Amino acid sequence: MLSKSNPRVKLIRRLNRRRTREQEGKFLVEGIRLLEEALRENWPLRQVIYTAELTANPRGAGLLEALAQQGVPAEPVDEELFAELAETETPQGIIAVAAMAGRPISDLQLILNGEPDLLVLVDGVRDPGNLGTIIRCADAYGAGGVLLLKGTVDPYNPKTIRATMGAIFRVPLLSVENSEHLAEAWKAGGWKLVAGDPAADKLIHHCDLTGRVILAVGGEADGFSGNLGSFLDETVRIPMPGRAESLNAGVAAGIMLYEAVRQRMSR
């Protein structure tokens, strides 16, 4: 049984920090459901820790068996140590170290030249739950990837990963440092950038979203950053006859993606 001083346990503890995740090229996956999704997508897993409680659960025992069949080393830890390492309030007794190298696409041109003609651009969304919801919606509506501009929360944050409900293993993600270079690339590829804006005159269902479209979602408090606004082809708003002034970024992204898919299906 692993102890606190074991190097593998120390790594798991350090991977709760973004800087360590970026340095190591690894992130944590916690919980039975997420690990089942990772295995289903053949995601590279480096190591696993688990508790005795997991083995008493038939689904958990089956997961350990599947991990063993794929050659993923799994070692037990005691409940107290696991509680220190877990990020969830009610841990399920299993945490894995996953490699970022499993990301399907890491090149901007590959995403822009891919078969799907619907992408999502996230600019400055800082809430991990919102980003996770956006990634999950991108998966649900068949978007070809999610582009992340500087200032956006880490997609490998444990809260983000949980909010994706496994979509993190299916949706191509790409961090983009230079928005001007991005703009040149999408314009050259014939893409249209459409951004949600509560103050826009045009309603979203009056905007043609049937071509090569990038749907842009801004930060919860500050909206779009830098000079991204100068690259927008259109801004649209979601009809809101109620009294709420705005929607959170995850909900707004889901509605925009739904409208794009609705238009495509109706044609």
Side-chain angles (χ1 to χ4, degrees), residues 50-63:
Y50 65 94
T51 64
E53 183 182 358
L54 180 80
T55 61
N57 178 342
R59 190 173 165 192
L63 177 57

Side-chain angles (χ1 to χ4, degrees), residues 121 182-184 186-196 202 207-209 212-216 224 227-236:
L121 173 67
L182 172 61
E184 293 173 1
W186 83 55
K187 289 184 182 297
W191 291 83
K192 178 168 70 173
L193 181 65
V194 178
K202 179 179 282 191
C207 178
D208 184 2
L209 301 176
R212 303 188 92 186
V213 173
I214 301 174
L215 298 174
F224 295 101
N227 58 358
L228 184 66
S230 63
F231 302 132
L232 297 175
D233 293 297
E234 291 193 67
T235 57
V236 297

Side-chain angles (χ1 to χ4, degrees), residues 139-159:
D139 182 30
Y141 292 111
V146 177
L147 307 175
L148 308 167
L149 292 189
K150 190 175 181 180
T152 299
V153 67
D154 179 16
Y156 299 103
N157 179 299
K159 292 180 180 178

Side-chain angles (χ1 to χ4, degrees), residues 27-248:
F27 63 101
L28 299 178
V29 181
E30 182 180 341
I32 294 173
R33 166 71 183 276
L34 282 174
L35 272 170
E36 287 174 340
E37 293 288 337
L39 283 173
R40 190 173 293 116
E41 300 301 324
N42 295 313
W43 197 272
L45 302 173
R46 302 306 186 211
Q47 68 181 66
V48 168
I49 61 168
Y50 65 94
T51 64
E53 183 182 358
L54 180 80
T55 61
N57 178 342
R59 190 173 165 192
L63 177 57
L64 286 177
E65 183 178 344
L67 288 164
Q69 289 175 354
Q70 293 202 10
V72 181
E75 298 183 80
V77 297
D78 64 46
E79 302 282 350
E80 183 179 350
L81 176 55
F82 190 92
E84 292 179 15
L85 300 171
E87 283 285 312
T88 56
E89 292 184 6
T90 54
Q92 293 183 322
I94 188 165
I95 298 174
V97 174
M100 290 182 187
R103 178 59 51 211
I105 296 179
S106 59
D107 181 81
L108 176 60
Q109 289 300 332
L110 287 176
I111 289 181
L112 293 177
N113 295 333
E115 183 178 342
D117 55 3
L118 181 62
L119 298 171
V120 180
L121 173 67
V122 183
D123 181 18
V125 171
R126 295 183 176 87
D127 182 86
N130 275 340
L131 179 58
T133 299
I134 292 169
I135 295 169
R136 186 180 180 185
C137 288
D139 182 30
Y141 292 111
V146 177
L147 307 175
L148 308 167
L149 292 189
K150 190 175 181 180
T152 299
V153 67
D154 179 16
Y156 299 103
N157 179 299
K159 292 180 180 178
T160 303
I161 292 171
R162 288 198 298 275
T164 70
M165 294 296 288
I168 189 79
F169 304 116
R170 291 184 291 272
V171 177
L173 304 180
L174 181 62
S175 296
V176 180
E177 293 292 327
N178 189 326
S179 59
E180 291 187 10
H181 172 67
L182 172 61
E184 293 173 1
W186 83 55
K187 289 184 182 297
W191 291 83
K192 178 168 70 173
L193 181 65
V194 178
D197 182 351
D201 293 327
K202 179 179 282 191
L203 292 172
I204 187 169
H205 53 276
H206 292 158
C207 178
D208 184 2
L209 301 176
T210 59
R212 303 188 92 186
V213 173
I214 301 174
L215 298 174
V217 183
E220 297 88 347
D222 304 322
F224 295 101
S225 62
N227 58 358
L228 184 66
S230 63
F231 302 132
L232 297 175
D233 293 297
E234 291 193 67
T235 57
V236 297
R237 63 182 171 88
I238 297 167
M240 293 174 53
R243 297 177 63 181
E245 293 182 359
S246 63
L247 300 170
N248 72 40

